[in-house]
Amino acid sequence: MTLAAPLEKILEVEIERLLPGGVGLAHAEGLTLFVSLAAPGDVLRVVIDRMQGKVGFASIVEVLKPSPVRIEPPCPYFGRCGGCDFQQLTCEAQLNAKVEIIRDCLHRIAKIDTLPDIPVHHSPNQWHYRARAMWQVDSNDKILGYFERGSNRVCDVEYCAVLVPELQITLEGVRNELRESTAVNRLSDIEVVAGNEGVSVAPPLAGFKTEIVSRIIGNETYLFSAEAFFQINHGLLEPLIAEALRDVNREENAAPGIPSGEPRNEVRSGTVGKSAIDLYCGVGLFTLPLARRFERVIGVEGSERATEFARRNLEFAKLNNAEVLTSRVSDWMKQHARSFGPLDFLLLDPPRAGAENAVVAGILALRPARIAYVSCDPATLARDLKKLIAGGYTLNSIVAFDMFPQTHHVETVAHLILDPGS
Ligand SMILES: C[S@@+](CC[C@H](N)C(=O)[O-])C[C@H]1O[C@@H](n2cnc3c(N)ncnc32)[C@H](O)[C@@H]1O
């Protein structure tokens, strides 16, 4: 099978395993090679595209002997489109690789020697799961799609097999609009999100409005639009919330596992603790369920539009014990962390870049009894865990969620407990 034309130096390699970033690791002629779109056990002819020190970044020229877990990628854009980089792997191999990637980051970056088991929640759908997307517009060539792999060129995508059906229909509609109107031509990208009422498109286009849409997750109703962050794979949100709040469930009726001897806040009946903070709270996905468990909840979020939705969602749920603040988390931490008072629980769900230094320093000043860290990047999670562990916390558990099938991306929820006496 030929996947790309050879450019310069051609090497024959065997892929040892998949690394963070989803690339295959191989060694040849004294070089470490990172090979894109590989499967563990593949024997490949590869070409080195670029060198960085002793590391070569390579692409496949020919699959000489396919890995037993290699399959034919079903998408015609695979290899060119920058969207999916795991379609060459069976579903089981994708999940194994994601767990390996998390383990590798925890071991190598966080320096955790004894790793807990990492259970994985499967996505209910391997395809047609993506309910939010950003499409790139090339107004010169009048094409719409995703960036090509490693470039800012737009890959013209007519059909995207990971989109939920409503978004596929919207993709086709926006493509027609792009051909027929000049309005789309002024744009560089378009954000879309699906909810119960239809699809929200930002910026709005003829026939496509920035609707406010909703989803009911568990017992909570969330309003949002394409102008604010909402998670991609809605089928996994109920178990994600359940896992993030696992340690603060009402049934246990007191902040469980607060190390014995630690001062425990008095608990109002029906709640499990006095105070919780939800950092990077978006439209309140975790803030609402937290407000049902704690007497006082503070959400902090940088996007004005997301905080408007979060406040509206709390109001709709008649939860008046939570306050949502529009601020960079690092700014809020610098101002409030040292004077906040006792904190039972802190949840953080930062973007891929992880928590800024000031945020980790703020968490260590707040010293919550328990932390739930929701992350979409195992490498930045591991970097931040290392600092939290050095600051007196123990990693209690880590669970993976296959939020982004067909890609190397993976969501995790890590629980940390404050060490007794620290
Ligand atoms: C991964 S999302 C999580 C949102 C929410 N917890 C959820 O699950 O829907 C990260 C959120 O952090 C916000 N954000 C990114 N950088 C931020 C910063 N420096 N300070 C505050 N909020 C930030 C984004 O607007 C986004 O809503």
Side-chain angles (χ1 to χ4, degrees), residues 72-277:
E72 192 58 43
C75 173
Y77 308 104
F78 179 77
R80 194 155 52 86
C81 173
C84 295
D85 58 356
F86 261 19
Q87 286 190 17
Q88 77 281 15
L89 301 171
T90 61
C91 172
E92 200 190 346
Q94 291 187 24
L95 296 176
N96 290 341
K98 290 179 197 201
V99 171
E100 266 319 293
I101 286 170
I102 299 167
R103 295 183 78 81
D104 182 82
C105 290
L106 293 178
H107 193 67
R108 206 170 32 81
I109 303 171
K111 308 283 180 215
I112 301 172
D113 293 330
T114 314
L115 296 176
D117 274 349
I118 306 178
V120 188
H121 280 265
H122 294 212
S123 174
N125 299 312
Q126 287 300 302
W127 302 95
H128 309 299
Y129 64 83
R130 183 179 252 279
R132 182 169 66 84
M134 182 196 267
W135 295 326
Q136 305 299 328
V137 180
D138 178 337
S139 46
N140 291 332
D141 292 342
K142 286 187 170 283
I143 56 178
L144 180 76
Y146 304 99
F147 281 136
E148 291 186 1
R149 290 179 56 71
S151 110
N152 283 345
R153 268 195 314 269
V154 178
C155 180
D156 190 20
V157 172
E158 280 180 49
Y159 174 76
C160 172
V162 292
L163 291 179
V164 293
E166 309 93 283
L167 288 196
Q168 174 56 35
I169 292 167
T170 306
L171 176 70
E172 289 161 21
V174 174
R175 288 174 65 84
N176 288 338
E177 180 71 13
L178 174 63
R179 277 193 293 271
E180 285 160 20
S181 138
T182 50
V184 185
N185 294 353
R186 293 192 298 273
L187 303 173
S188 59
D189 55 60
I190 296 171
E191 302 250 22
V192 288
V193 68
N196 292 348
E197 296 76 9
V199 174
S200 177
V201 179
L205 305 165
F208 302 97
K209 296 203 183 102
T210 311
E211 315 262 14
I212 294 176
V213 293
S214 70
R215 281 285 195 228
I216 297 172
I217 314 287
N219 294 321
E220 309 293 358
T221 301
Y222 297 93
L223 297 176
F224 54 92
S225 78
E227 292 171 308
F229 177 91
F230 199 72
Q231 300 276 354
I232 281 176
N233 190 337
H234 298 179
L236 271 176
L237 293 186
E238 210 174 323
L240 182 78
I241 295 169
E243 175 58 25
L245 303 194
R246 188 195 65 194
D247 288 349
V248 289
N249 276 329
R250 250 191 309 271
E251 302 81 66
E252 299 173 40
N253 202 31
I258 289 181
S260 55
E262 284 287 303
R264 185 184 291 244
N265 291 331
E266 206 174 296
V267 174
R268 191 180 69 179
S269 130
T271 56
V272 297
K274 274 210 160 137
S275 54
I277 292 180

Side-chain angles (χ1 to χ4, degrees), residues 228-231 237 240 278-286 300-303 306 327-330 347-352 356 359 374 376 411:
F229 177 91
F230 199 72
Q231 300 276 354
L237 293 186
L240 182 78
D278 181 9
L279 299 178
Y280 309 91
C281 71
V283 303
L285 187 72
F286 301 106
V300 187
E301 159 64 42
S303 150
S327 169
R328 284 181 67 83
V329 171
S330 52
L347 186 149
L348 73 158
D349 181 11
R352 255 178 222 169
E356 301 95 311
V359 175
V374 182
C376 57
E411 190 89 359

Side-chain angles (χ1 to χ4, degrees), residues 4-60:
L7 294 173
E8 282 175 27
K9 190 168 176 60
I10 305 286
L11 294 169
E12 239 180 72
V13 297
E14 178 163 356
I15 300 298
E16 296 159 28
R17 61 196 171 93
L18 299 183
L19 297 178
V23 291
L25 173 69
H27 291 91
E29 300 187 9
L31 296 173
T32 300
L33 296 174
F34 293 167
V35 184
S36 303
L37 311 179
D42 270 346
V43 179
L44 305 169
R45 193 164 285 144
V46 301
V47 62
I48 299 176
D49 303 317
R50 114 188 123 81
M51 289 294 302
Q52 202 176 309
K54 281 254 176 201
V55 175
F57 293 81
S59 26
I60 300 173

Side-chain angles (χ1 to χ4, degrees), residues 228-385:
F229 177 91
F230 199 72
Q231 300 276 354
I232 281 176
N233 190 337
H234 298 179
L236 271 176
L237 293 186
E238 210 174 323
L240 182 78
I241 295 169
E243 175 58 25
L245 303 194
R246 188 195 65 194
D247 288 349
V248 289
N249 276 329
R250 250 191 309 271
E251 302 81 66
E252 299 173 40
N253 202 31
I258 289 181
S260 55
E262 284 287 303
R264 185 184 291 244
N265 291 331
E266 206 174 296
V267 174
R268 191 180 69 179
S269 130
T271 56
V272 297
K274 274 210 160 137
S275 54
I277 292 180
D278 181 9
L279 299 178
Y280 309 91
C281 71
V283 303
L285 187 72
F286 301 106
T287 325
L288 271 67
L290 281 173
R292 296 197 189 279
R293 289 162 172 79
F294 289 88
E295 289 186 19
R296 179 184 174 217
V297 176
I298 305 249
V300 187
E301 159 64 42
S303 150
E304 182 98 47
R305 194 72 182 114
T307 48
E308 282 167 20
F309 279 118
R311 288 182 201 121
R312 209 164 147 177
N313 291 332
L314 285 161
E315 202 180 311
F316 182 77
K318 299 193 170 40
L319 291 163
N320 55 15
N321 57 329
E323 191 183 353
V324 175
L325 305 157
T326 312
S327 169
R328 284 181 67 83
V329 171
S330 52
D331 293 344
W332 188 84
M333 282 297 217
K334 279 180 210 158
Q335 280 178 32
H336 299 281
R338 278 170 208 287
S339 55
F340 190 83
L343 177 65
D344 294 316
F345 186 70
L346 181 138
L347 186 149
L348 73 158
D349 181 11
R352 255 178 222 169
E356 301 95 311
N357 284 335
V359 175
V360 177
I363 295 173
L364 293 176
L366 281 164
R367 297 199 97 53
R370 286 182 171 265
I371 299 172
Y373 192 142
V374 182
S375 159
C376 57
D377 186 322
T380 56
L381 168 74
R383 179 201 66 199
D384 297 343
L385 286 183

